[in-house]
Amino acid sequence: MKKLIVTSLSVLIAFSIANAKTVKLKEPPEELGKYYPPNSDKFEFLTNMYQLSTSFTGVFANIQEKQWDKALNWAEKMKDHYFKIGKLVKKWDKVLRKEAMNNLVEAVKSKDVASVKKYANIVGKTCVQCHKNYQLPTKIKYHFPSFDTSSIEDPVTGVEYGVHDYMKKVTNDMKLLKIYLMQGDKTKAVKSGNNFIKRFEGLQQMCSDCHTNKASEEIYFSKEIKGKLSTLKEALIKGDKDKVSSSLGYIGINNCSKCHNVHQIPAMLKEKFEK
Ligand code: HEC
Ligand code: HEC
Ligand code: HEC
């Protein structure tokens, strides 16, 4: 019985290794950056994609309704937008199936449904292939702003820190206040707690680097959160471990974790392209 469990366990391990997935992020060609901030606010490449996709649908919607003239009009538009990919990003010109695209237009002209499907399929595969490689990395690299340019003035020392180092400072205060409280060093616990509170409030400085809307800030710096900071302060002075722990827990979930879910994950992914 024991042996059976061991063998099935090793089979299970082997199976899960065989199925282990690796996520790769392929860096998009440098020239794509011309069509995104800070180089351009117009998102020209993405706009061309939407136009391409709309004209693709325009072809099929009209063929279904036997509106061949309109279908041809959309097919020609589609061709323009498809070829434009190679004009916007020279490196991508060679992955386009231009002949199939030309044949698609011809097939619409001659109202040949089978050929339309055949060539749409060939062109369609180039969409899928390129998206598989580049859509996610493009969003990470070009849609999400960088935290590298933000800095925060430390209310405790007056020194300017990058986001990365400032986060470490806040975390350190949080850990120290717990350590001193647990080992009964009340004065030190209160001091670390006060530093934590000051630095926590200091976090809000960076929000306006990206957000013009105060409503976004108030989600993580709400009245409730501010209430918990006062509770924390009082509980530290009283040495009330349970209240310290529950107010820190509330702050950790409703500020730190929530903000990380929205900002830290893309920031960490984006860093992969910056190093
Ligand atoms: C803007 C919302 C935001 C809030 C609020 C926030 N963080 Fe962060 N935090 C970030 C971002 C973004 C990063 C990633 C920075 C980077 O990697 O450059 C980060 C990174 C970190 C890191 C990792 C640092 C490292 O060495 O990589 C720690 C630890 C951390 N935060 C702790 C905290 C704690 C504790 C709180 C709450 C008291 C908090 N953060 C509140 C956005 C936030
Ligand atoms: C050589 C690369 C390449 C080819 C070929 C390509 N695309 Fe794209 N496409 C991209 C990239 C990169 C993005 C991501 C752009 C962004 O998010 O800013 C994208 C995004 C899109 C989007 C936007 C999706 C969204 O919601 O964000 C649509 C729609 C789209 N493509 C349609 C098409 C269609 C239809 C075809 C084929 C007829 C096609 N694309 C061919 C590279 C390509
Ligand atoms: C480097 C830029 C940057 C900084 C700094 C930043 N954010 Fe954001 N934040 C974003 C982006 C990007 C989004 C996604 C929505 C968007 O594109 O506007 C977002 C989304 C949010 C959301 C989700 C709801 C919404 O408004 O879209 C909240 C809430 C939020 N941020 C709060 C904060 C707070 C609070 C701070 C400061 C502690 C902060 N952010 C700092 C870039 C940033």
Side-chain angles (χ1 to χ4, degrees), residues 168 209 223:
K168 283 189 182 159
D209 288 352
K223 275 202 190 84

Side-chain angles (χ1 to χ4, degrees), residues 93-253:
D93 198 50
K94 59 179 183 290
V95 306
L96 303 178
R97 297 288 301 266
K98 291 188 186 172
E99 214 181 291
M101 185 66 238
N102 282 328
N103 290 340
L104 174 57
V105 176
E106 289 310 312
V108 177
K109 242 180 223 163
S110 51
K111 305 183 186 176
D112 175 353
V113 177
S115 293
V116 168
K117 282 191 181 150
K118 179 180 156 193
Y119 294 115
N121 219 345
I122 298 173
V123 173
K125 281 202 178 115
T126 65
C127 322
V128 174
Q129 190 56 36
C130 188
H131 294 161
K132 212 169 127 188
N133 287 329
Y134 293 111
Q135 195 172 8
L136 176 62
T138 299
K139 280 180 191 280
I140 291 166
K141 186 164 180 187
Y142 295 117
H143 287 227
F144 203 80
S146 176
F147 277 84
D148 282 359
T149 50
S150 288
S151 65
I152 306 177
E153 191 187 310
D154 183 8
V156 178
T157 60
V159 177
E160 288 265 333
Y161 286 106
V163 175
H164 210 76
D165 291 333
Y166 193 86
M167 289 291 160
K168 283 189 182 159
K169 293 252 161 222
V170 185
T171 311
N172 203 43
D173 292 332
M174 208 175 193
K175 289 191 277 193
L176 285 179
L177 84 83
K178 283 183 198 162
I179 291 166
Y180 291 135
L181 189 70
M182 279 160 81
Q183 64 192 39
D185 284 333
K186 202 176 138 189
T187 324
K188 286 185 184 169
V190 171
K191 189 167 175 256
S192 304
N194 284 338
N195 286 349
F196 170 75
I197 291 168
K198 279 188 204 150
R199 288 192 168 121
F200 179 86
E201 287 166 346
L203 277 170
Q204 215 171 333
Q205 288 173 58
M206 70 169 150
C207 312
S208 58
D209 288 352
C210 300
H211 294 282
T212 46
N213 187 350
K214 280 278 167 202
S216 301
E217 277 183 44
E218 276 158 20
I219 290 178
Y220 306 135
F221 294 91
S222 59
K223 275 202 190 84
E224 287 79 7
I225 292 270
K226 284 176 183 151
K228 293 291 174 190
L229 283 181
S230 324
T231 313
L232 175 66
K233 211 172 194 167
E234 286 162 26
L236 275 168
I237 292 165
K238 286 190 198 136
D240 183 341
K241 287 183 194 163
D242 289 345
K243 267 226 169 99
V244 168
S245 162
S246 66
S247 43
L248 268 185
Y250 185 93
I251 292 167
I253 292 167

